């Protein structure tokens, strides 16, 4: 990011997160004050900006974006690899794909966020990644999300290359891959995948090869998950 970017405060400078995003230019930081913001369909386009919440002195998240089941929280289509989303609780999203976050041809970095109580009527309760995407998720908590379609209560990835590191994926629910559904590439490392549920296959994780490419899991603890087949 540019060293010359401005800091845009919400609600100090702009009353809504989306209006701050619309006013921003590459290199800007959107600093969101503590509190709950009832917004949905947030879309930064292809801007290289940082969207970040507030923390207390102990590093606890103080900023929540709650879509109130009106739509998904974030839509990232052709989003820049210079997009950073940090220190946010992303909740209450509801969509066909990706209740919390939808990622298409995008490579954002998502750091220290909590995805909770998001819903997809098809795939990707919390996060949906499709062809051409390479998101980086680090230090995130993905807990209590639901997908009612093919799979991925926590994360659904198809033909994309997610890099998921040091994340907690817990108590998510789907038909396949309660915690994680990954078809194609991607790397999942040093993650804790626990207490997820699938009504079909892969309570914790469901992985498939696509075009001779398979996902890689390393250093993960996968336990206490449940499914009708292949818990």
């Amino acid at each position: 990011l540019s060293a010359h970017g401005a800091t845009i405060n919400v609600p100090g400078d702009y009353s809504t997160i989306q209006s701050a995003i619309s006013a921003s230019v590459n290199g800007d930081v959107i600093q969101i004050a503590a509190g709950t913001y009832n917004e949905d369909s947030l879309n930064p386009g292809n801007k290289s900006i940082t969207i970040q919440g507030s923390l207390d002195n102990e590093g606890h998240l103080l900023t929540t974006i709650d879509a109130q089941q009106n739509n998904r929280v974030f839509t990232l289509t052709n989003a820049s690899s210079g997009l950073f989303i940090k220190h946010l609780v992303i909740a209450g999203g509801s969509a066909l794909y990706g209740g919390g976050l939808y990622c298409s041809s995008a490579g954002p970095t998502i750091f220290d966020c909590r995805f909770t109580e998001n819903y997809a009527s098809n795939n990707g309760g919390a996060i949906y990644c499709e062809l051409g995407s390479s998101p980086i998720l680090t230090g995130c908590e993905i807990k209590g999300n639901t997908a009612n379609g093919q799979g991925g209560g926590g994360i659904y990835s198809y033909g994309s290359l997610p890099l998921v590191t040091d994340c907690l994926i817990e108590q998510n629910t789907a038909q396949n891959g309660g915690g994680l559904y990954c078809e194609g590439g991607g790397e999942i490392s040093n993650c804790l995948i626990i207490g997820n549920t699938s009504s079909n296959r892969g309570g914790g994780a469901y992985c498939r090869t696509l075009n001779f490419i398979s996902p890689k899991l390393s250093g993960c603890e996968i336990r206490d998950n449940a499914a009708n087949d292949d818990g």
Side-chain angles (χ1 to χ4, degrees):
L1 294 178
S2 169
H4 304 290
T7 297
I8 301 173
N9 293 290
V10 178
D13 299 318
Y14 289 88
S15 61
T16 67
I17 301 167
Q18 185 59 57
S19 62
I21 291 171
S22 298
S24 68
V25 297
N26 288 346
D28 286 351
V29 174
I30 296 172
Q31 178 64 55
I32 310 168
T36 298
Y37 299 79
N38 299 134
E39 296 191 49
D40 60 81
S41 308
L42 297 174
N43 191 340
N46 64 353
K47 293 181 178 180
S48 295
I49 59 175
T50 297
I51 303 169
Q52 65 183 30
S54 297
L55 303 172
D56 66 14
N57 291 334
E58 296 180 349
H60 298 137
L61 305 178
L62 299 177
T63 304
T64 297
I65 306 175
D66 186 345
Q68 298 185 304
Q69 290 77 49
N70 288 321
N71 207 323
R72 69 173 59 94
V73 181
F74 278 98
T75 298
L76 308 182
T77 303
N78 298 317
S80 167
S81 59
L83 173 66
F84 290 80
I85 297 174
K86 302 167 56 179
H87 309 323
L88 291 170
V89 178
I90 297 170
S94 179
L96 181 62
Y97 299 103
L101 183 146
Y102 175 89
C103 193
S104 176
S105 298
T109 295
I110 303 164
F111 175 75
D112 187 28
C113 288
R114 182 185 308 135
F115 291 81
T116 186
E117 297 181 1
N118 297 289
Y119 172 80
S121 56
N122 203 316
N123 301 326
I127 299 168
Y128 178 93
C129 305
E130 67 176 10
L131 293 166
S133 293
S134 53
I136 298 171
L137 283 85
T138 303
C140 293
E141 179 181 301
I142 301 165
K143 183 175 181 178
N145 305 278
T146 302
N148 202 35
Q150 182 181 17
I155 300 172
Y156 180 93
S157 173
Y158 177 82
S160 62
L161 297 171
L163 179 59
V164 184
T165 306
D166 298 323
C167 291
L168 170 65
I169 303 173
E170 182 179 16
Q171 295 178 3
N172 303 285
T173 304
Q175 290 187 23
N176 296 288
L180 166 72
Y181 182 108
C182 193
E183 188 168 351
E187 296 186 23
I188 318 297
S189 62
N190 301 323
C191 291
L192 184 58
I193 303 173
I194 60 171
N196 301 282
T197 304
S198 167
S199 59
N200 191 13
R201 286 183 156 183
Y206 182 92
C207 299
R208 299 183 65 182
T209 296
L210 178 66
N211 297 328
F212 305 102
I213 301 174
S214 300
K216 298 178 182 178
L217 280 78
S218 63
C220 295
E221 183 176 344
I222 305 174
R223 60 175 170 83
D224 300 330
N225 302 285
N228 285 340
D229 191 7
D230 305 326

Short mmCIF file of all heavy atoms in Angstrom, two decimals, residues 109-144:
data_model
loop_
_atom_site.label_atom_id
_atom_site.label_comp_id
_atom_site.label_asym_id
_atom_site.label_seq_id
_atom_site.Cartn_x
_atom_site.Cartn_y
_atom_site.Cartn_z
N THR A 109 -6.31 -10.18 1.14
CA THR A 109 -5.76 -10.71 2.37
C THR A 109 -6.74 -10.41 3.49
O THR A 109 -7.12 -9.25 3.69
CB THR A 109 -4.39 -10.10 2.69
OG1 THR A 109 -3.46 -10.50 1.68
CG2 THR A 109 -3.88 -10.58 4.05
N ILE A 110 -7.15 -11.46 4.21
CA ILE A 110 -8.11 -11.32 5.29
C ILE A 110 -7.42 -11.76 6.57
O ILE A 110 -7.01 -12.92 6.69
CB ILE A 110 -9.37 -12.15 5.00
CG1 ILE A 110 -9.98 -11.72 3.67
CG2 ILE A 110 -10.38 -11.99 6.13
CD1 ILE A 110 -10.99 -12.68 3.10
N PHE A 111 -7.27 -10.85 7.51
CA PHE A 111 -6.44 -11.09 8.69
C PHE A 111 -7.23 -10.82 9.97
O PHE A 111 -7.88 -9.78 10.10
CB PHE A 111 -5.20 -10.19 8.64
CG PHE A 111 -4.33 -10.28 9.87
CD1 PHE A 111 -3.52 -11.38 10.08
CD2 PHE A 111 -4.34 -9.26 10.81
CE1 PHE A 111 -2.72 -11.46 11.21
CE2 PHE A 111 -3.54 -9.33 11.94
CZ PHE A 111 -2.73 -10.43 12.14
N ASP A 112 -7.16 -11.77 10.90
CA ASP A 112 -7.73 -11.58 12.23
C ASP A 112 -9.19 -11.15 12.16
O ASP A 112 -9.59 -10.15 12.78
CB ASP A 112 -6.89 -10.56 13.02
CG ASP A 112 -7.33 -10.46 14.48
OD1 ASP A 112 -7.85 -11.45 15.02
OD2 ASP A 112 -7.15 -9.37 15.07
N CYS A 113 -9.99 -11.89 11.42
CA CYS A 113 -11.43 -11.64 11.34
C CYS A 113 -12.19 -12.84 11.89
O CYS A 113 -11.70 -13.96 11.89
CB CYS A 113 -11.87 -11.37 9.90
SG CYS A 113 -11.34 -9.78 9.23
N ARG A 114 -13.41 -12.58 12.37
CA ARG A 114 -14.28 -13.66 12.84
C ARG A 114 -15.53 -13.69 11.96
O ARG A 114 -16.24 -12.69 11.82
CB ARG A 114 -14.68 -13.44 14.29
CG ARG A 114 -15.56 -14.57 14.86
CD ARG A 114 -16.05 -14.26 16.27
NE ARG A 114 -14.94 -13.90 17.12
CZ ARG A 114 -14.97 -12.85 17.96
NH1 ARG A 114 -16.01 -12.08 18.03
NH2 ARG A 114 -13.91 -12.58 18.71
N PHE A 115 -15.78 -14.86 11.35
CA PHE A 115 -16.97 -15.08 10.54
C PHE A 115 -17.94 -15.92 11.37
O PHE A 115 -17.61 -17.06 11.74
CB PHE A 115 -16.63 -15.81 9.25
CG PHE A 115 -15.82 -15.01 8.27
CD1 PHE A 115 -14.44 -14.89 8.42
CD2 PHE A 115 -16.41 -14.38 7.19
CE1 PHE A 115 -13.67 -14.16 7.52
CE2 PHE A 115 -15.67 -13.65 6.28
CZ PHE A 115 -14.30 -13.54 6.45
N THR A 116 -19.12 -15.40 11.63
CA THR A 116 -20.05 -16.14 12.47
C THR A 116 -21.49 -15.89 12.06
O THR A 116 -21.85 -14.78 11.63
CB THR A 116 -19.83 -15.77 13.96
OG1 THR A 116 -20.66 -16.60 14.78
CG2 THR A 116 -20.15 -14.30 14.23
N GLU A 117 -22.30 -16.93 12.16
CA GLU A 117 -23.75 -16.86 11.89
C GLU A 117 -24.05 -16.34 10.49
O GLU A 117 -24.99 -15.56 10.29
CB GLU A 117 -24.44 -16.02 12.96
CG GLU A 117 -24.32 -16.64 14.36
CD GLU A 117 -25.02 -15.83 15.43
OE1 GLU A 117 -25.64 -14.80 15.11
OE2 GLU A 117 -24.94 -16.23 16.61
N ASN A 118 -23.25 -16.78 9.54
CA ASN A 118 -23.53 -16.49 8.13
C ASN A 118 -24.15 -17.73 7.49
O ASN A 118 -23.91 -18.86 7.91
CB ASN A 118 -22.24 -16.10 7.41
CG ASN A 118 -21.63 -14.84 7.98
OD1 ASN A 118 -22.14 -13.74 7.80
ND2 ASN A 118 -20.51 -14.99 8.70
N TYR A 119 -24.93 -17.50 6.42
CA TYR A 119 -25.70 -18.59 5.82
C TYR A 119 -25.66 -18.50 4.30
O TYR A 119 -25.80 -17.41 3.73
CB TYR A 119 -27.16 -18.51 6.30
CG TYR A 119 -28.10 -19.47 5.60
CD1 TYR A 119 -28.16 -20.81 5.97
CD2 TYR A 119 -28.90 -19.03 4.56
CE1 TYR A 119 -29.02 -21.69 5.34
CE2 TYR A 119 -29.76 -19.91 3.91
CZ TYR A 119 -29.82 -21.23 4.31
OH TYR A 119 -30.66 -22.10 3.66
N ALA A 120 -25.48 -19.65 3.66
CA ALA A 120 -25.60 -19.74 2.20
C ALA A 120 -26.64 -20.81 1.89
O ALA A 120 -26.56 -21.93 2.41
CB ALA A 120 -24.27 -20.10 1.56
N SER A 121 -27.61 -20.49 1.05
CA SER A 121 -28.61 -21.48 0.67
C SER A 121 -28.02 -22.52 -0.28
O SER A 121 -28.61 -23.57 -0.49
CB SER A 121 -29.83 -20.80 0.04
OG SER A 121 -29.45 -20.00 -1.06
N ASN A 122 -26.82 -22.23 -0.84
CA ASN A 122 -26.12 -23.22 -1.63
C ASN A 122 -24.75 -23.49 -0.99
O ASN A 122 -24.69 -24.24 -0.05
CB ASN A 122 -25.99 -22.75 -3.09
CG ASN A 122 -25.79 -23.91 -4.05
OD1 ASN A 122 -25.02 -24.81 -3.78
ND2 ASN A 122 -26.50 -23.90 -5.17
N ASN A 123 -23.68 -22.86 -1.45
CA ASN A 123 -22.34 -23.21 -1.00
C ASN A 123 -21.65 -22.05 -0.29
O ASN A 123 -21.83 -20.89 -0.64
CB ASN A 123 -21.47 -23.63 -2.19
CG ASN A 123 -22.04 -24.82 -2.94
OD1 ASN A 123 -22.65 -25.69 -2.33
ND2 ASN A 123 -21.85 -24.84 -4.24
N GLY A 124 -20.80 -22.41 0.69
CA GLY A 124 -19.96 -21.41 1.34
C GLY A 124 -20.70 -20.56 2.35
O GLY A 124 -20.95 -19.39 2.11
N GLY A 125 -21.03 -21.15 3.50
CA GLY A 125 -21.76 -20.40 4.51
C GLY A 125 -21.05 -19.12 4.91
O GLY A 125 -21.63 -18.04 4.90
N ALA A 126 -19.77 -19.23 5.25
CA ALA A 126 -18.99 -18.05 5.62
C ALA A 126 -18.27 -17.45 4.41
O ALA A 126 -18.35 -16.25 4.16
CB ALA A 126 -17.98 -18.39 6.71
N ILE A 127 -17.58 -18.31 3.64
CA ILE A 127 -16.70 -17.82 2.56
C ILE A 127 -16.86 -18.71 1.34
O ILE A 127 -16.83 -19.93 1.44
CB ILE A 127 -15.23 -17.82 3.02
CG1 ILE A 127 -15.04 -16.89 4.23
CG2 ILE A 127 -14.30 -17.40 1.88
CD1 ILE A 127 -13.69 -17.04 4.91
N TYR A 128 -17.00 -18.08 0.19
CA TYR A 128 -17.11 -18.79 -1.09
C TYR A 128 -16.02 -18.27 -2.01
O TYR A 128 -15.92 -17.06 -2.25
CB TYR A 128 -18.48 -18.55 -1.71
CG TYR A 128 -18.69 -19.20 -3.07
CD1 TYR A 128 -19.26 -20.47 -3.17
CD2 TYR A 128 -18.32 -18.55 -4.24
CE1 TYR A 128 -19.47 -21.07 -4.41
CE2 TYR A 128 -18.51 -19.14 -5.49
CZ TYR A 128 -19.10 -20.39 -5.56
OH TYR A 128 -19.29 -20.98 -6.80
N CYS A 129 -15.20 -19.17 -2.54
CA CYS A 129 -14.13 -18.80 -3.47
C CYS A 129 -14.31 -19.59 -4.76
O CYS A 129 -14.41 -20.81 -4.72
CB CYS A 129 -12.76 -19.11 -2.90
SG CYS A 129 -12.43 -18.39 -1.29
N GLU A 130 -14.32 -18.89 -5.88
CA GLU A 130 -14.45 -19.60 -7.14
C GLU A 130 -13.29 -19.31 -8.07
O GLU A 130 -12.33 -18.63 -7.70
CB GLU A 130 -15.79 -19.27 -7.80
CG GLU A 130 -15.95 -17.84 -8.28
CD GLU A 130 -17.27 -17.64 -9.02
OE1 GLU A 130 -18.13 -18.53 -8.99
OE2 GLU A 130 -17.42 -16.56 -9.64
N LEU A 131 -13.37 -19.82 -9.29
CA LEU A 131 -12.27 -19.81 -10.25
C LEU A 131 -11.54 -18.47 -10.29
O LEU A 131 -12.15 -17.40 -10.33
CB LEU A 131 -12.81 -20.14 -11.64
CG LEU A 131 -13.33 -21.58 -11.82
CD1 LEU A 131 -14.13 -21.69 -13.10
CD2 LEU A 131 -12.17 -22.56 -11.81
N GLY A 132 -10.22 -18.55 -10.31
CA GLY A 132 -9.41 -17.36 -10.46
C GLY A 132 -9.13 -16.61 -9.18
O GLY A 132 -8.54 -15.53 -9.21
N SER A 133 -9.53 -17.15 -8.04
CA SER A 133 -9.32 -16.47 -6.77
C SER A 133 -8.14 -17.07 -6.01
O SER A 133 -7.89 -18.27 -6.08
CB SER A 133 -10.59 -16.55 -5.90
OG SER A 133 -11.65 -15.83 -6.47
N SER A 134 -7.47 -16.21 -5.27
CA SER A 134 -6.35 -16.67 -4.45
C SER A 134 -6.32 -15.88 -3.14
O SER A 134 -5.35 -15.17 -2.85
CB SER A 134 -5.02 -16.51 -5.20
OG SER A 134 -4.87 -15.17 -5.66
N PRO A 135 -7.38 -15.98 -2.35
CA PRO A 135 -7.42 -15.24 -1.09
C PRO A 135 -6.44 -15.80 -0.07
O PRO A 135 -6.13 -16.99 -0.07
CB PRO A 135 -8.86 -15.42 -0.62
CG PRO A 135 -9.26 -16.74 -1.19
CD PRO A 135 -8.57 -16.82 -2.53
N ILE A 136 -5.97 -14.92 0.81
CA ILE A 136 -5.12 -15.31 1.93
C ILE A 136 -5.90 -15.05 3.21
O ILE A 136 -6.33 -13.92 3.46
CB ILE A 136 -3.80 -14.52 1.93
CG1 ILE A 136 -3.00 -14.80 0.65
CG2 ILE A 136 -2.98 -14.85 3.17
CD1 ILE A 136 -1.80 -13.90 0.49
N LEU A 137 -6.12 -16.09 4.01
CA LEU A 137 -6.79 -15.96 5.30
C LEU A 137 -5.80 -16.36 6.38
O LEU A 137 -5.28 -17.48 6.38
CB LEU A 137 -8.03 -16.85 5.38
CG LEU A 137 -9.28 -16.38 4.65
CD1 LEU A 137 -9.25 -16.81 3.19
CD2 LEU A 137 -10.52 -16.93 5.33
N THR A 138 -5.57 -15.45 7.31
CA THR A 138 -4.61 -15.70 8.38
C THR A 138 -5.21 -15.31 9.72
O THR A 138 -5.75 -14.22 9.87
CB THR A 138 -3.32 -14.91 8.15
OG1 THR A 138 -2.76 -15.23 6.87
CG2 THR A 138 -2.29 -15.21 9.22
N GLY A 139 -5.11 -16.22 10.69
CA GLY A 139 -5.54 -15.90 12.04
C GLY A 139 -7.01 -15.60 12.18
O GLY A 139 -7.41 -14.84 13.07
N CYS A 140 -7.84 -16.23 11.36
CA CYS A 140 -9.28 -15.97 11.39
C CYS A 140 -10.02 -17.07 12.16
O CYS A 140 -9.57 -18.20 12.27
CB CYS A 140 -9.84 -15.88 9.98
SG CYS A 140 -9.26 -14.44 9.04
N GLU A 141 -11.18 -16.70 12.68
CA GLU A 141 -12.09 -17.65 13.32
C GLU A 141 -13.33 -17.77 12.45
O GLU A 141 -13.99 -16.76 12.16
CB GLU A 141 -12.46 -17.19 14.72
CG GLU A 141 -13.41 -18.11 15.44
CD GLU A 141 -13.78 -17.59 16.83
OE1 GLU A 141 -12.86 -17.41 17.65
OE2 GLU A 141 -14.98 -17.35 17.07
N ILE A 142 -13.65 -18.99 12.05
CA ILE A 142 -14.80 -19.24 11.18
C ILE A 142 -15.68 -20.22 11.94
O ILE A 142 -15.43 -21.42 11.96
CB ILE A 142 -14.33 -19.80 9.83
CG1 ILE A 142 -13.38 -18.80 9.16
CG2 ILE A 142 -15.52 -20.08 8.92
CD1 ILE A 142 -12.58 -19.37 8.01
N LYS A 143 -16.71 -19.69 12.58
CA LYS A 143 -17.44 -20.48 13.58
C LYS A 143 -18.95 -20.26 13.46
O LYS A 143 -19.43 -19.13 13.39
CB LYS A 143 -16.97 -20.09 14.98
CG LYS A 143 -17.60 -20.90 16.10
CD LYS A 143 -16.97 -20.53 17.43
CE LYS A 143 -17.57 -21.35 18.58
NZ LYS A 143 -16.94 -21.03 19.89
N GLY A 144 -19.69 -21.38 13.43
CA GLY A 144 -21.14 -21.30 13.50
C GLY A 144 -21.80 -20.81 12.24
O GLY A 144 -22.81 -20.09 12.30
#
